[in-house]
Amino acid sequence: MTTSAGPHTRVMVELGDRSYPVDIGSGVRNSLNEVIAGLGAQRVAMVSARPDDWLPDPGVPSVVLRARDGETDKTLSTVEELCREFVRFGLTRSDAVVSCGGGTTTDVVGLAASLYHRGVPVVHLPTSLLAQVDASVGGKTAVNLPEGKNLVGAYWQPAAVLCDTDYLTTLPAREMLNGYGEIARCHFIGAGDLSGLTLSEQIAASVALKASVVSADERDSGLRHVLNYGHTLGHALEIATQFALRHGEGVAIGTVFAGRLALALGRIDEARAAEHLEVVRSYGLPYALPADVDPQRLIDVMRLDKKATDGLTFVLDGPGGPELVSGLAEETVAAALATMDREDRDTAKD
């Protein structure tokens, strides 16, 4: 359910007694004290990858713990360090944790909250476009292993998400583009054309789509797989480039590839495959494979994807919409990769 209250929009993630609001708009972070009061928390651990003046007053005694966004700190050791800080602060099961940062911070803090005392409430204040449209919503928390992305995690739904669009005004252009990778892939999983909407409307539409899917399939037993559109190759590109290619950029390229692979399998026609490229390019996103990435390396990494329970597995468009397609032959995937454009792109440049 989506409602509007003045300049703010509220999307409800409907999960029975675990339902929660996602508030979107300018200044919504300042309602944090109301959220904490509603939880009845007596103290709060605030884990932030942003300057202290980005943190609203939670209204109760709190401690600020420093975090860093980026894949380097998306590890189990970071989760352990946070949990030990929670102990030092005296955090109890009836208190709360708040994250303030991008997708890495959301994931790491969410996982720490899920494990500490077997679960304490967490409130997310996502500060990047990527985190606002995707990472902060849905309850998936995870960290990386050297072998792959998000291989260790848990489902832990937040108590609330406050997507303050004021945070986005400070982001560099490339970080905004990173978030648009997730918005672009929404075009192919039910959101339709979002390109003509305002930024707040694009965020709300993306969140509403994800909320509807999560409400129907919280734990990835079926429908929720569609949210991974473009992600199988996207994650592999992140790993193969040692994260020089950012998540949303990888998803954008992966979305183009999903169109090429679906075409090769006869699931969609040439026009629909071309639409994948057109949508990705319309947002100014990368669409070509980096020239120095070995396709075989990508295939090897994609075999380790969490969805790959039966060989190479992708979420692909088709006559009935997107669905999980398993057991694909390596030769088929390699041939589709060979149809992708190649670009010697400076992924380190902002």
Side-chain angles (χ1 to χ4, degrees):
M1 181 179 67
T2 304
T3 59
S4 294
H8 301 158
T9 300
R10 169 167 286 186
V11 177
M12 288 300 301
V13 181
E14 304 286 356
L15 291 167
D17 60 1
R18 293 178 296 110
S19 298
Y20 58 92
V22 181
D23 289 338
I24 302 155
S26 173
V28 296
R29 69 184 184 276
N30 296 314
S31 62
L32 178 64
N33 58 346
E34 298 171 24
V35 173
I36 297 301
L39 292 173
Q42 299 301 304
R43 53 176 53 196
V44 168
M46 304 184 74
V47 186
S48 178
R50 300 294 182 264
D52 287 351
D53 59 5
W54 286 36
L55 291 170
D57 181 4
V60 296
S62 62
V63 64
V64 177
L65 305 176
R66 304 315 314 176
R68 291 189 307 177
D69 272 326
E71 299 292 333
T72 302
D73 285 349
K74 196 174 177 182
T75 63
L76 279 169
S77 62
T78 303
V79 171
E80 180 183 0
E81 289 168 13
L82 285 176
C83 288
R84 294 182 70 182
E85 291 290 350
F86 297 165
V87 175
R88 295 185 188 103
F89 181 55
L91 203 73
T92 71
R93 188 178 294 176
S94 60
D95 294 324
V97 176
V98 173
S99 77
C100 180
T104 296
T105 298
T106 296
D107 260 8
V108 172
V109 175
L111 183 56
S114 77
L115 296 173
Y116 185 72
H117 285 318
R118 298 188 179 90
V120 296
V122 63
V123 178
H124 294 311
L125 276 63
T127 61
S128 70
L129 181 57
L130 183 74
Q132 291 194 5
V133 300
D134 187 55
S136 63
V137 180
K140 275 189 176 181
T141 71
V143 294
N144 302 335
L145 296 177
E147 290 78 11
K149 283 264 295 181
N150 299 331
L151 294 180
V152 179
Y155 292 93
W156 189 246
Q157 299 294 342
V161 181
L162 304 176
C163 295
D164 195 324
T165 52
D166 291 348
Y167 285 141
L168 305 181
T169 62
T170 66
L171 295 181
R174 189 177 175 200
E175 191 52 49
M176 285 295 290
L177 198 64
N178 194 27
Y180 273 112
E182 293 286 1
I183 292 175
R185 72 86 163 85
C186 285
H187 182 104
F188 300 99
I189 59 174
D193 185 4
L194 303 181
S195 60
L197 303 181
T198 67
L199 180 58
S200 290
E201 290 170 337
Q202 289 174 330
I203 296 169
S206 300
V207 170
L209 173 64
K210 185 166 187 177
S212 68
V213 173
V214 171
S215 297
D217 177 20
E218 182 181 4
R219 292 179 174 263
D220 255 351
S221 59
L223 177 63
R224 188 165 177 167
H225 290 316
V226 303
L227 297 175
N228 286 308
Y229 204 87
H231 283 60
T232 303
L233 178 60
H235 285 163
L237 284 167
E238 288 181 82
I239 292 167
T241 63
Q242 296 182 308
F243 300 102
L245 199 67
R246 297 181 182 180
H247 178 73
E249 295 169 335
V251 169
I253 298 168
T255 295
V256 175
F257 175 70
R260 300 288 175 88
L261 185 56
L263 175 64
L265 295 170
R267 296 178 56 84
I268 61 175
D269 60 18
E270 291 271 6
R272 182 64 168 173
E275 188 178 345
H276 284 67
L277 177 60
E278 291 163 8
V279 168
V280 166
R281 291 187 68 174
S282 74
Y283 286 99
L285 288 156
Y287 56 89
L289 293 177
D292 57 349
V293 172
D294 177 14
Q296 186 60 51
R297 167 66 172 151
L298 295 174
I299 290 172
D300 292 343
V301 175
M302 288 190 286
R303 288 189 184 282
L304 301 175
D305 187 87
K306 300 185 299 303
K307 301 183 299 300
T309 57
D310 178 20
L312 287 162
T313 302
F314 299 83
V315 180
L316 298 176
D317 199 3
E323 63 182 351
L324 199 65
V325 180
S326 301
L328 296 182
E330 179 177 318
E331 294 78 11
T332 302
V333 175
L337 281 171
T339 70
M340 294 286 288
D341 292 331
R342 284 278 187 160
E343 182 179 2
D344 188 9
R345 187 172 184 272
D346 182 4
T347 56
K349 186 175 71 176
D350 286 326

